[in-house]
Amino acid sequence: MFKTRMTELFGIEKPIMLAGMNWITEPKLVSAVCNAGGLGVLAVARCTPQETKDFIRQIKDMTDKPFGINQILVGPGAKENIEVAIEEQVPIVNYSLGKPWFIDDVHAYGGKVMGTIAVARHAARAVSMGCDALVVTGHEAAAHGAAATSMVLIPLVAKQVDVPIIAAGGIYDGRGIAAALALGADGVSMGSRFMIVQESMVHERFKQLCIEATEQDTLYDNVFDGMDGRVLKTKEAEAMTKKGFPVVDAIKGAMLVKRVLNLSWSKFVGLTFEMMRAEEGHPMMVLARQAVGNMKHMKAIMEGDVEGGILFAGQCCGGIADIPTTQELVDRIMDEASETLARMNKLDV
Ligand SMILES: Cc1cc2nc3c(=O)[nH]c(=O)nc-3n(C[C@H](O)[C@H](O)[C@H](O)COP(=O)(O)O)c2cc1C
């Protein structure tokens, strides 16, 4: 037991969350984190509503502990996936990018809503809309952190709001948990670290690349999927930053999304405008850019394609050196966190 406001709110044992990661946080990894005492979160941005339902049911079969789903609100299918989560009464609904319209519906069955923010001024607004907790993402993070690092952002947000704060970005060991608690957080969310565990479906070649990477080996740019984001420094990622945005690929990607989702032109244009208004997005062909990013991510995650693939990854890859089981990892970092806090308590102050 390691009690914080986060563990109390969600009814979990340890203040560690598996960050929602599109493609990667499948039922196997989600349930492994739940069964190890943390909070597993299933990212559903890439799922059809049927897949979302199937995955939620698989998780329910694999664990009796609380779990969450994560949905990026500005993409196609967001509304439908959230509806499924509500029907299935998922205990925790975590959203990023966009405005949540469903908070009362989740509260109605006793669920909790967790907003993800990367800019301090968005914190109070999310809480005023009814969020029960916030994930606060620093610049070090894989994928879509903004300009401020966790060191600056967490205390700023902790001063503004009175709900549990879950620190994301750059955390990979128990010292990181202790530091996050010291900065005002109530727990942590880890993405990159949980990509490199035995239960993760990331291709072994990319797991190895993350282990070999130093803290300098990521790139932060908006060319990868249209929003500022951080990826592992691969050949393809470096080439993308030099070439700029691949217009031809983007148009192909956009057409693919339209076809796969069977969108009418009016729905397609509507979605594109919706994404253009996204709080933290950029007003240019975001949907198409995401499609390009997704295709290259799949090459990395599924095929281990080092030449053509890109992978969201955080600076903390520099500190990741092994591929433990989820249970081993959670136990180890909780021990490290307790040791670190005990050491700090002994300081002569
Ligand atoms: C491959 C990958 C996919 C991700 N997909 C999502 C996503 O679908 N939704 C989301 O809110 N965040 C997504 N993220 C960001 C994570 O939720 C989290 O904020 C980040 O990994 C934290 O930083 P860390 O990697 O330093 O722990 C993704 C991260 C990675 C590595």
Side-chain angles (χ1 to χ4, degrees), residues 55-239:
F55 283 157
I56 289 170
R57 294 201 171 166
Q58 283 174 36
I59 294 168
K60 286 177 178 169
D61 284 343
M62 292 159 101
T63 184
D64 56 3
K65 305 266 175 20
F67 66 96
I69 62 122
N70 165 283
Q71 172 71 56
I72 299 177
L73 297 186
V74 292
K79 194 166 167 288
E80 293 79 1
N81 281 338
I82 294 283
E83 270 166 20
V84 171
I86 291 168
E87 270 163 35
E88 292 292 317
Q89 306 207 339
V90 171
I92 294 126
V93 178
N94 170 219
Y95 71 86
S96 57
L97 304 174
K99 290 200 182 71
W101 61 88
F102 47 82
I103 294 184
D104 288 347
D105 300 327
V106 175
H107 285 165
Y109 64 78
K112 307 288 178 208
V113 177
M114 182 163 51
T116 302
I117 59 146
V119 176
R121 79 183 142 80
H122 296 160
R125 188 153 23 119
V127 173
S128 72
M129 286 189 287
C131 281
D132 303 287
L134 294 179
V135 175
V136 178
T137 311
H139 181 66
E140 311 89 321
H144 306 117
T149 57
S150 300
M151 183 75 107
V152 171
L153 199 55
I154 299 166
L156 276 176
V157 175
K159 222 194 277 179
Q160 281 183 39
V161 298
D162 200 23
V163 297
I165 291 173
I166 295 122
I171 296 150
Y172 62 96
D173 68 2
R175 289 168 303 182
I177 296 186
L181 296 179
L183 290 172
D186 304 277
V188 299
S189 167
M190 301 192 302
S192 302
R193 180 58 271 197
F194 277 125
M195 278 203 298
I196 322 297
V197 293
Q198 301 212 353
E199 292 86 346
S200 153
M201 48 77 81
V202 171
H203 197 284
E204 291 305 313
R205 218 173 283 143
F206 265 84
K207 285 185 182 171
Q208 214 48 52
L209 281 185
C210 290
I211 287 177
E212 285 161 18
T214 72
E215 83 291 353
Q216 302 290 322
D217 292 329
T218 61
L219 297 168
Y220 182 79
D221 204 305
N222 70 6
V223 292
F224 307 118
D225 72 349
M227 294 178 270
D228 291 328
R230 186 177 301 286
V231 302
L232 194 66
K233 199 191 268 180
T234 56
K235 253 192 197 165
E236 180 60 17
E238 282 189 289

Side-chain angles (χ1 to χ4, degrees), residues 28 43 321 349:
K28 185 175 167 194
V349 288

